[in-house]
Amino acid sequence: MTAKPTAARENILKVSDLAVSYGGIQALKSVSFEVKTGEIVSLIGANGAGKTTTLRAVSSLVPYTGTVEFKSKSGEVLNLATVPQHRIVKFGLAHSPEGRGVFPNLTVLENLQMGAFSRTDKEEIAQDLELCFASFPRLKERVKQKAGTLSGGEQQMLAIARALMAKPSLLLLDEPSLGLAPLIVAQIFEIIKKINSEGMTVLLVEQNARMALKISDRAYVVETGKISFSGRGKDLLGDPRIIDSYLGGH
Amino acid sequence: MDQSSAQEFIQHLINGISLGSIYALIALGYTMVYGILQLINFAHSEVYMVGAFAAYYTGKGLGLDQHPGFGALFALLLAAVVVCSILGVTIERLAYRPLRKAPKLNILITAIGVSLLLQYSGQIIFGADPKLFPEVIKDVTVFQLGGVEVRSLDITILVVGTLVMIGLHFLVHATKIGTAMRAVSSNTMVARLMGINVDQVISFTFVIGSSLAGIASVLVGLKYPKIDPLMGMLFGIKAFVAAVLGGIGSLPGAMLGGVILGLSEEMVVGYLSSTYRDALAFGILIVILLFRPSGLLGSQTREKV
Ligand SMILES: Nc1ncnc2c1ncn2[C@@H]1O[C@H](COP(=O)(O)OP(=O)(O)O)[C@@H](O)[C@H]1O
Ligand SMILES: [Mg+2]
């Protein structure tokens, strides 16, 4: 990763003491972390650790205790618990969910339009659509096709492109590599790197720890609803605790 | 087939399609709400009933049966649409929204409760005896085609029904809010991530579904002019059967199911006996539930709203 001066940057997202329960089961006990402008930050951890729940709480899809502070596009720091859920995107936070979540019976174009739902700047949306097609030519070829007919990799690209259509300042990506062939996974990670190099801040959730750590500035390890430790991406790649538990022991 | 029996058949065909398009309008309301909330909105048939009374009182208040024509028809439609929309949205706000996170069965029972409440309130407020719907379209033979009489009422019903369904298709497929409705119906949680205000989309769905019921109520009032507070029961259940027949959640399914049901009823009445008319819908329901519970056009990739 090219050296990016992270020290001087400001937090775009600051999560403190986040706790979430589903019914009686506590999925998150206490999760705190931060993301600085321009970074790629990863949350890694085993299945069921609470990564998806963390992202859902940040997007106000589940009730939580603790605080989530987000620096909006206009520079104002918002306590997201006080913002109506449907306005969060407008403030600059887009979230591509686990399992891609494309709308299968909407066309590729309609999916992208829904990504831009919170925007009203018609001309800019049209321009961004062109930019999106330039980055994802496969989507352009399939623009009138129902999203449900796309391959898994194409659906993942659509999910990312759709999130970008919101013109966010922070992009949450939940397991973009899930269920994809290694070659496609590599492509997806290239795309994430490219988006980031063009200025997008990314909060990435991954079970594919190796790939995630390689492109991340920093990473947090989530274990049973808590952050157990964190560090710089390349440092963690060589960290024995990570190697043993998340990188297959070598 | 000799000529007179061919004429008779075509006559039944016209009647059947016109009845069917009314079923379709009501079925669309069931199917849209189901697509978005997975709720069978039993109160929908009473929204339809209230629409008929809204139109009745508007017609009476303005003396519109003295001035029949398209202006009068439009006034009745407008009254029914406005009142039904308000009622539909109010029911959703007061009865369903507080239960958004409750088990589906609770909401279903609430829907039945609202339906009964409206039936009995209707009997108190409007009176239990039937009222005569204002005749704002005179039912005359407009033209004869090879011995088949084409009547003004059937033309009106077909034209209004077709225009409304074309309008709905445009709304659902070519507008931002329509696309958002399909997105919510497809995956509510992801729709939230797009910044779609799901509550607003649900309200909008109730406005549209209830408006269609209002339009249907006026068309029914014209065709079967006796209206009463229990008129929604049988007609509503039949429209619901039409929605299930087409595939609940599917808009084209509701249209198709409505037309099939209308046609079959008319043919049964015409060629068998009117005694079987009402049994037919329930027969169809049982057969569908046994052999194809997802309905004619219902499937995994169906177009839900
Ligand atoms: N909708 C839900 N209802 C109940 N429990 C849930 C729900 N979603 C997740 N959980 C539970 O919460 C915990 C964390 O899940 P999740 O956030 O999905 O983990 P991860 O994304 O790290 O795999 C798990 O124990 C999971 O079983
Ligand atoms: Mg997960």
Side-chain angles (χ1 to χ4, degrees), chain B residues 48-60 75-76 79-84 126 133 217-218 227:
Chain B
Y48 151 83
M49 175 273 289
V50 170
F53 278 93
Y56 166 80
Y57 286 115
T58 304
K60 230 179 114 171
L76 296 196
V81 162
V82 169
V83 171
C84 287
F126 309 135
F133 200 79
S217 77
V218 172
I227 62 165

Side-chain angles (χ1 to χ4, degrees), chain A residues 86 89 101 105 110 117 119, chain B residues 176 182 186 190 193 197 302:
Chain A
H86 64 271
V89 187
N105 40 12
E110 287 170 337
F117 185 87
R119 299 170 58 184
Chain B
K176 189 171 171 180
R182 286 183 290 138
S186 169
V190 179
L193 292 180
N197 183 342
R302 75 192 170 197

Side-chain angles (χ1 to χ4, degrees), chain B residues 41-245:
Chain B
N41 177 17
F42 281 106
H44 189 57
S45 50
E46 276 55 56
V47 170
Y48 151 83
M49 175 273 289
V50 170
F53 278 93
Y56 166 80
Y57 286 115
T58 304
K60 230 179 114 171
L62 301 178
L64 292 178
D65 41 359
Q66 304 306 314
H67 308 279
F70 292 117
L73 175 65
F74 184 76
L76 296 196
L77 288 172
L78 188 66
V81 162
V82 169
V83 171
C84 287
S85 301
I86 294 171
L87 180 61
V89 168
T90 308
I91 292 171
E92 192 275 320
R93 270 287 160 85
L94 298 184
Y96 303 155
R97 190 171 299 184
L99 297 174
R100 194 64 52 76
K101 292 193 174 101
K104 290 276 180 269
L105 187 63
N106 299 20
I107 312 179
L108 201 67
I109 292 169
T110 305
I112 295 173
V114 174
S115 167
L116 292 173
L117 176 74
L118 289 172
Q119 282 174 16
Y120 290 107
S121 313
Q123 297 190 43
I124 294 167
I125 297 167
F126 309 135
D129 359 300
K131 305 239 176 332
L132 199 63
F133 200 79
E135 193 182 359
V136 297
I137 299 288
K138 297 283 172 215
D139 195 17
V140 295
T141 303
V142 179
F143 56 89
Q144 291 221 349
L145 207 73
V148 178
E149 290 186 359
V150 182
R151 303 186 65 84
S152 50
L153 213 50
D154 287 325
I155 295 182
T156 307
I157 291 172
L158 284 177
V159 168
V160 172
T162 310
L163 287 180
V164 167
M165 287 188 232
I166 291 173
L168 181 70
H169 183 86
F170 173 81
L171 176 83
V172 167
H173 288 274
T175 67
K176 189 171 171 180
I177 182 84
T179 311
M181 283 167 78
R182 286 183 290 138
V184 171
S185 158
S186 169
N187 189 332
T188 307
M189 191 183 264
V190 179
R192 285 186 201 282
L193 292 180
M194 304 293 112
I196 295 173
N197 183 342
V198 170
D199 281 337
Q200 218 168 55
V201 170
I202 291 171
S203 292
F204 186 74
T205 306
F206 273 82
V207 166
I208 301 301
S210 306
S211 299
L212 298 179
I215 291 167
S217 77
V218 172
L219 300 181
V220 170
L222 294 174
K223 200 167 163 76
Y224 310 102
K226 277 189 179 163
I227 62 165
D228 69 82
L230 299 183
M231 66 186 279
M233 284 168 72
L234 191 58
F235 220 82
I237 289 188
K238 288 183 184 174
F240 171 67
V241 170
V244 175
L245 173 63

